[in-house]
Amino acid sequence: MTTAAPGISRDRVTIRFAGDSGDGMQLTGTQFTTTSAMIGNDVSTFPDFPAEIRAPAGTLPGVSGFQIQFGSVNIRTPGDAPDVLVAMNPAALKVNLHDLPDGATILVNEDSFSESNLKKAGYASNPLEDGTLKAFRVVKQPITTLTREALKEIGIDSGSKDRCKNLFALGVMYWLYDRPLEPTLEWLSTKFKKKPLLVEANHIALKAGFHFADTTEVFTSHYQVPAATHLPAGEYRQVMGNEALALGLTTAAQKAGLPLFYGSYPITPASDVLHHLSQHKHLDVRTFQAEDEMAAVCASIGAAFGGAMAVTGTSGPGVALKAEAIGLAVMIELPLIIVNVQRAGPSTGMPTKTEQADLLQVMFGRNGESPCGVVAPATPGECFTLAIEACRLALTHMVPVFILTDGYLANGAEPWLLPNPDDIPEIKVNFITEGNGPDGVLNGYQHDPETLARPWAIPGTPGLEHRIGGLEKWDVTGHISYDPENHHHMCKLRAEKIERMVVPDAELIGPEEGELLVVSWGGTYGAVLTAAEELRLAGKEITVCHLRYINPFPKNLEATLRKFKKVIVPELNLGQLCMMIRAKFMVDAISYPKVHGRPFQVAELVAKFSEVLSD
Amino acid sequence: MTTAAPGISRDRVTIRFAGDSGDGMQLTGTQFTTTSAMIGNDVSTFPDFPAEIRAPAGTLPGVSGFQIQFGSVNIRTPGDAPDVLVAMNPAALKVNLHDLPDGATILVNEDSFSESNLKKAGYASNPLEDGTLKAFRVVKQPITTLTREALKEIGIDSGSKDRCKNLFALGVMYWLYDRPLEPTLEWLSTKFKKKPLLVEANHIALKAGFHFADTTEVFTSHYQVPAATHLPAGEYRQVMGNEALALGLTTAAQKAGLPLFYGSYPITPASDVLHHLSQHKHLDVRTFQAEDEMAAVCASIGAAFGGAMAVTGTSGPGVALKAEAIGLAVMIELPLIIVNVQRAGPSTGMPTKTEQADLLQVMFGRNGESPCGVVAPATPGECFTLAIEACRLALTHMVPVFILTDGYLANGAEPWLLPNPDDIPEIKVNFITEGNGPDGVLNGYQHDPETLARPWAIPGTPGLEHRIGGLEKWDVTGHISYDPENHHHMCKLRAEKIERMVVPDAELIGPEEGELLVVSWGGTYGAVLTAAEELRLAGKEITVCHLRYINPFPKNLEATLRKFKKVIVPELNLGQLCMMIRAKFMVDAISYPKVHGRPFQVAELVAKFSEVLSD
Amino acid sequence: MTSAVVQLKKKDFVSDQDVRWCPGCGDYAILNAMQRIMPELGVPKEKIVFVSGIGCSSRFPYYMNTYGFHTIHGRAPAFATGLKCTNPDLTVWLVTGDGDGLSIGGNHLLHVIRRNVDINILLFNNKIYGLTKGQYSPTSEVGTVTKSTPLGSLDRPLNPLRFALASEATFVARTYDTDLKHMQQVFKAAAAHKGVSFVEILQNCPIFNDGCWTENLAKKVRKDKVLFLEHGKPMVYGADKNRGLKLDGLALEKTSWEGDETPADVFVHDSTVESSVLATLLTEFTDPIPVGIFREVQAQPYDEALINQLDVAKDKSKGQGLAELYRQGANTWTVE
Amino acid sequence: MTSAVVQLKKKDFVSDQDVRWCPGCGDYAILNAMQRIMPELGVPKEKIVFVSGIGCSSRFPYYMNTYGFHTIHGRAPAFATGLKCTNPDLTVWLVTGDGDGLSIGGNHLLHVIRRNVDINILLFNNKIYGLTKGQYSPTSEVGTVTKSTPLGSLDRPLNPLRFALASEATFVARTYDTDLKHMQQVFKAAAAHKGVSFVEILQNCPIFNDGCWTENLAKKVRKDKVLFLEHGKPMVYGADKNRGLKLDGLALEKTSWEGDETPADVFVHDSTVESSVLATLLTEFTDPIPVGIFREVQAQPYDEALINQLDVAKDKSKGQGLAELYRQGANTWTVE
Ligand SMILES: Cc1ncc(C[n+]2csc(CCOP(=O)(O)OP(=O)(O)O)c2C)c(N)n1
Ligand SMILES: Cc1ncc(C[n+]2csc(CCOP(=O)(O)OP(=O)(O)O)c2C)c(N)n1
Ligand code: SF4
Ligand code: SF4
Ligand SMILES: [Mg+2]
Ligand SMILES: [Mg+2]
């Protein structure tokens, strides 16, 4: 976007708020997003917090950012590069500058460009003056001063006044993109219900920013981004991936008529799932903050043994710690959901950054042959749907199922059409209440011929007293067995259980055969789709096959792969899905690996796909 | 073997001792093996103990077995099926009977076939009388009575007398295969040094067995198995895999001039490595029995940080628990050896049984992209050589390296030509004692251009004080970095370190190109080689490529794979190496998976290879 | 199908599995004691679950004809917690060993105890790793020679009861494998306690650590080397009941007397004091070794408190369901 | 290159890394105290290692210009053990938090303490998970409302010192972030102790648990709510030094008096008694809260004992090398 002509209508815009951790950028971004969504835009967001610890004010590691793409068209990513950057201090400018395209607009809080702040940001001279920003349209305003001025009548301390400056900046942006103030005004009234002075101060700051932009001529024009027309009718809200996941899990348990048990140990970026679920207690959700990840998963397996819809959630390092116990769940054939909100590794890695490098870990990271189901939502909202799907699969086949999301999905948000709970089908549970063997005895490992599920005989059921454990089992009876043939049979049976899962065919976007097939999975969906669309519009033959089910693969995958001359697999890892596809289907798929700790940019995908197409 | 003609010479014989856990079968088998080796036979053994807990005497789960193949030719496996079974009680007979080929000889202790023992073994009628054994040559003798009789003059209690019956049986076997008694007599003298009466009793029992067989005519003939001629000259001993591994680790540390630190938590079948190393203290070996596997690996990494040759050892479930910490070792680029003595999984599985199903776990079982080296010895004796190799690779490249063995290698034994320590090359260590950066500062992540090793600056070195940890590092400086490009670069660099390892080309046994290539790894070596040899003798075109290095693969693997019409990968898992090969080389390798909890039989491999060859 | 509780007998609690401990193992007696008290608890079989980790001791569930879960090494407390949170109605027994419970599982044991989850924990202490064939354990004395410590172990042993007390255990007791009656008493008291019950059982492993408790428990010395604690009773022991413990400053000292009358200064055991100091003091004794109930205080169990929270939340929510949940805390808008 | 120990100053121990704790975090003061005492220890910089787990507190090593190892969550004790066994000459400090040390790391902390590895452990207790943005921790009181416990936490808190005592700690102390002088004293005493030293530091987290210690430590109340333990001195506290503790049976009771003379029945602190009962008793107090050294007894450190074993083994082996090792305990034979 350039701000050349006045009154222009845009079909999509990307903006980024950036400031110090204490500057309230996440709040500002969220408000902009909600308002945009409420006026009918499609939106997608990408919050980018600093590393775990709050750095001292003004430093580079302390910078917090929030990017939003909003539009009247289908918005699938938070945007590659911002049209507008709001930079609340020099550090925020410095950290974000390299992401800006030439001609982008930068709104800076001039007040913060003090000598000491410049130094903290590592600027030798003032970038507002030394020509650093000549490629951009810079709008510098003394936002702090203006905010103080607007609030001079309000009886709160000056620290509290200064903390309102983000709302001033938000007001400016609301004017620039012609957004109503009411949703934010209302939200503020609720949030500070108990502190009326703060409500007033924030209201004034927001309005002041809006009016300031309106009356001064700092921007030559403002923009309209009309409501999107592709969104189905209905009631919407914003939802982030972790919250959608929590809602999905609770829904699944309700639909199965089971209590939900969620055992977890806090870890970035998965903790919010625990936080959300701990607010669902009225729907029989039992959250357990365990002493560590091993206790979390084991408690969940204990709950599964007891007949709960058992879930455990964590991020990659936590999955490593849970591996041994997940192997037990495989062996005892109990339903279990393991949520892995991936983050950048190896080891502690870059814990606040996103990545997809745990796929092979969840596939193979256990001793012995211990197959689990694996599903991967493509968008924040889909975390809801696939959480339900994962529960259905786990309960139907009596197996552990992984849900693989990532930091990008977890914290990203999108408009979510509220489902009608009545439309969501019930989930059948394999409880058994009477002996299924000779003389009414329990055959605990009598497998259903279709699903290969074993019966779920939970403690409390008279007459079905039995013992299970991690030692190999005789098929049918479930007693301990060291028999060679039986072991081979059981290993294959456990693998077959996963193969038997009924999962929908993979969605194909684009022609059903042709030049180039892009196989993607998880949170890269939006970027991959947008890139492919762009290329198709440019006349290229390119199709996307996005996988939401990875173990088992959808049945149509093999045939699909064989219908294209080339196959490329873009992933935020060093080629993990690609390896699985090559091994399984003997298709010479090309890997496009990226481990930057952040989502794909549409542009880099377009470039890579074009290159492969023209090779 | 059939016992048709007298005085026959055999080039290979397989016998199995089986009895109750308390019957001393492991001791008996070991003595037979040692004696055979000492008279020049090549030998290979397979002990098969009952599950972890001692079952009550006389029951099926209490049966303990020990199989030996010995011969004048190259003996690479413990043999498929025993020529002779020694069965000390009905349970031992029942458990082992189905492994016997028609015509095999069974020596049974008639005394133990009491009604109660028959019942414990689940025999409705006496198999010695009901025709069950009609396909076999049964030699039934009242071994208990005969032993008591022989010992009637000795002043020890009758329990102790009865415990000598295994030596009576051993004496019989020594006569049958024309073995000297002296080695065992001497061994007994040392073992019971402090109990002369026991020495005497055991000596008498052994001799009594020998003379009994000599004078009575229970066997129509006895056999000679001449000394092997293919064994290189030198001093030999028997060695089991776990012991060889311990010796190799200690040797490597000495050759690198470092203390050896071994952190471990007991687990079957890896505990013996700890037991052996704890006897190497005089060679600066520090063993640490940790509170759990996580503490074991973390203590080892702490030791590596401190400059030790750090090793941690366990079996599959323990590797699962160590996964998180191994990721840290990858990130901090310190040398670390992880020993995985594989056992049958998943979960607790069949802990005393062998399997190769942890390959993908050690390759991929950690969060994020965290590559490690992987080596796999082919025989018990090779555990020594590859332990040294693994240490060399870890120290040269500053990376974690897995040694994958299994229960079969760990407890199996073979004659081992004692190495001359002086012939083993020293191992260079990357210690740094002065700053390598500007102003004498430490660049902790300055990678060697060839090996990609980083310098090892250990605490205690003046001037090199620095901090490391699990967060992503800037290349060169080693400071914390959240930079996207650097992260991608470092992920690739860590992978490249493994690729840079210089490993020998894979050994090819058979023609260099042709019909069928068998790619095998680890402990299946002997069986695969023997099967292929058998087929080659029968005129088939078949070659074996046995991998001792799995990450990285030997450089000649790819070219080799492409020179054969068909490739088959036999493994004691559901196709793990096969998957890696297919993915990496796009070679449509056929998997021959077997998860029986026991080694391949030569015959089943011959059958499968023939089938593939004639397809 | 319902089960008639009243008629249950010991044999109803014997499972169809062959018992696979070594001949002479102390675990047999413990199993026997447990099977004997089962019918007396008045709990139907199907409501009883035995959970264990890995170890010889952890085979226990296989032999009980109740529900049973032989989990993985050291983690039984976590499994039991999840199970109780799912169904607080169940009577859950947790069987662990000195290795399973205090080595790999120390952390989970600590936390299940401090949470006061309403389960009964039995720690079989044979001061050795039995199942892995004889390595020293966290309760082995310094200098113990085992397969992994040919020159003697270096680590100072833990005292399981002191550990449990520091973990804020509400019920702490000790018994031993050769006293069937005492075991039964202690097990029944543990079962009766609401909240976590922690019981150390001194157990012999004839194969790898034979005689590990004979110093106190050998028939000949037992009377003089064991102190049977009884709430409200003076701390008297000895074959002739003429020895005892009395307070001296912050210590308990041994004392003895002639005649039948117990002196007034012999300390009277009180297992119900809130402070854990007396119990801690008693754990320091090895001669005589105290057995019986060290401590027994009341606190709300975790599982009960959890269910209370659910109930309160349900009440407050006034029947709100999924539809309301989807809107909870969010702004919504409508696309026409 | 050698370093001249005598001339080191506080600034020599300040690393080049920007300190990244929140403004006002108690960790700053602790760092300050540590950097101040460093030169006084007489240990060259290169022989000092700070090892930590994960948490705000565990960032500590980055700010010390010594060797440092920021490991993984909860496992620092194990890393420190391996390091000390490799090089017992090093002075190793272990920094952990209430979550890192008592939640995920409880087992390792227990075992490193019972082994008496010669390291100094600092547990920063802010009763919250700081780094993961505010969930309750094992030291949080029942009913604590956090992100993960909107209706209040249910688990009963652990007392870190009681935990350390039950783990057989040989040195146990407590200090707090707002008393620079006291912290320095305690740190120096910890450093001087041979064997494991365990120090709890009461620390404020202004962001997620502000004021978690104000009940005792707020300037206004501090004098009346803190008891400074000193070995050999009576347990006296209060702004006017006219309050104290005296023994009553097995309990310590509060007492107060008029005038300057401390009554004779005020209990005299003895940190060197072998029994851990007095120290345990003191851990039960929260008003006043005792700080200072609770317990300090001698025992051989694990790392020292390990090296002794190696030495003995070397002596015994009389220079046997690899060639002899290969033959150790085996029959050999010769193939010609
Ligand atoms: C993860 C894991 N590590 C190690 C083991 C091996 N292991 C099984 S039981 C055991 C110790 C058992 O000791 P204890 O708990 O005292 O039980 P006991 O056999 O003495 O009754 C060990 C180390 C295992 N099964 N799993
Ligand atoms: C295996 C693993 N699980 C979880 C986490 C997330 N995590 C990091 S620090 C922490 C708790 C920190 O609390 P505490 O030790 O009290 O330190 P504080 O931040 O309060 O100083 C958690 C749960 C992690 N880093 N690794
Ligand atoms: S090894 Fe010891 S504890 Fe285990 S069953 Fe045998 S006697 Fe009992
Ligand atoms: S979150 Fe709390 S403990 Fe962590 S740095 Fe900030 S103030 Fe300190
Ligand atoms: Mg034990
Ligand atoms: Mg904390």
Side-chain angles (χ1 to χ4, degrees), chain A residues 49-57 59 61 265-268 271-272 274-276 278-279 281 287-294 321 347-348 352, chain D residues 18-23 28 54-56 59 71-73 75 99-100 103-104 129 131-133 135-137 146-151 155 207-208:
Chain A
F49 344 108
E52 328 91 301
I53 307 219
R54 301 188 174 201
T59 61
Y265 183 70
I267 186 167
T268 306
S271 309
D272 278 343
L274 172 64
H275 303 159
H276 285 296
S278 66
Q279 293 176 331
K281 288 214 165 67
T287 56
F288 173 60
Q289 180 180 314
E291 57 270 27
D292 62 19
E293 282 85 353
M294 289 161 293
L321 291 169
S347 193
T348 312
T352 53
Chain D
D18 293 331
V19 184
R20 296 199 190 168
W21 288 309
C22 307
Y28 284 97
I54 303 282
C56 296
R59 283 279 182 150
T71 69
I72 49 177
H73 199 28
R75 324 273 175 222
D100 188 66
S103 192
I104 191 168
Y129 291 176
L131 188 68
T132 47
K133 309 207 152 94
Q135 298 83 12
Y136 79 116
S137 93
T146 67
K147 283 191 187 146
S148 58
T149 50
L151 305 181
D155 336 26
I207 303 297
F208 295 112

Side-chain angles (χ1 to χ4, degrees), chain B residues 52-54, chain C residues 20-28 55-57 126 128-134 203-209:
Chain B
E52 330 89 303
I53 307 222
R54 301 187 175 203
Chain C
R20 297 204 189 164
W21 289 307
C22 308
C25 179
D27 293 357
Y28 284 97
C56 296
S57 32
N126 56 8
I128 201 83
Y129 291 176
L131 188 68
T132 48
K133 309 203 154 88
Q203 175 237 328
N204 192 30
C205 166
I207 303 298
F208 295 111
N209 205 16

Side-chain angles (χ1 to χ4, degrees), chain D residues 57 97-99 124-130 137 203:
Chain D
S57 32
D98 43 324
F124 293 22
N125 185 3
N126 57 8
K127 301 194 192 182
I128 200 87
Y129 291 176
S137 93
Q203 176 236 327

Side-chain angles (χ1 to χ4, degrees), chain D residues 174-241:
Chain D
R174 179 189 278 148
T175 184
Y176 57 102
D177 60 358
T178 45
D179 192 334
L180 193 60
K181 219 180 87 209
H182 193 258
M183 279 195 287
Q184 294 185 60
Q185 276 169 14
V186 170
F187 295 172
K188 281 192 279 186
H193 177 71
K194 210 177 114 187
V196 76
S197 311
F198 181 87
V199 181
E200 177 190 13
I201 308 173
L202 313 182
Q203 176 236 327
N204 192 30
C205 166
I207 303 297
F208 295 112
N209 205 15
D210 196 24
C212 50
W213 295 107
T214 43
E215 211 173 298
N216 285 95
L217 300 182
K219 276 241 172 70
K220 285 182 217 153
V221 301
R222 196 181 300 169
K223 289 234 159 109
D224 290 331
K225 297 273 191 173
V226 176
L227 167 66
F228 289 86
L229 296 173
E230 287 180 82
H231 176 66
K233 299 264 172 73
M235 296 177 175
V236 171
Y237 68 104
D240 304 327
K241 298 274 172 221

Side-chain angles (χ1 to χ4, degrees), chain B residues 52-56 61 265-268 271 274-275 278-279 281 287 289-294 321 347-348, chain C residues 19-22 54-56 59 71-73 75 99 103-104 129 131-133 135-136 147-148 150-151 207-208:
Chain B
E52 330 89 303
I53 307 222
R54 301 187 175 203
Y265 183 70
I267 187 168
T268 305
S271 309
L274 171 64
H275 303 159
S278 66
Q279 293 174 332
K281 289 212 166 67
T287 54
Q289 180 178 314
E291 59 270 29
D292 61 19
E293 282 85 353
M294 288 162 295
L321 291 169
S347 193
T348 312
Chain C
V19 184
R20 297 204 189 164
W21 289 307
C22 308
I54 303 283
C56 296
R59 284 277 183 152
T71 69
I72 49 177
H73 198 28
R75 325 270 174 225
S103 193
I104 192 167
Y129 291 176
L131 188 68
T132 48
K133 309 203 154 88
Q135 298 82 11
Y136 79 117
K147 282 191 188 145
S148 59
L151 306 182
I207 303 298
F208 295 111

Side-chain angles (χ1 to χ4, degrees), chain B residues 514-519 535 540-543 564-570 588-593 603-615:
Chain B
E515 206 60 39
L516 178 64
L517 180 72
V518 185
V519 182
L535 285 167
K540 300 282 165 66
E541 231 182 60
I542 180 170
T543 300
F564 291 82
K565 289 212 191 109
K566 287 179 180 169
V567 174
I568 187 167
V569 186
D588 198 1
I590 304 159
S591 174
Y592 180 44
E604 63 195 359
L605 289 170
V606 168
K608 180 69 188 182
F609 298 161
S610 309
E611 177 197 318
V612 171
L613 274 165
S614 62
D615 261 358

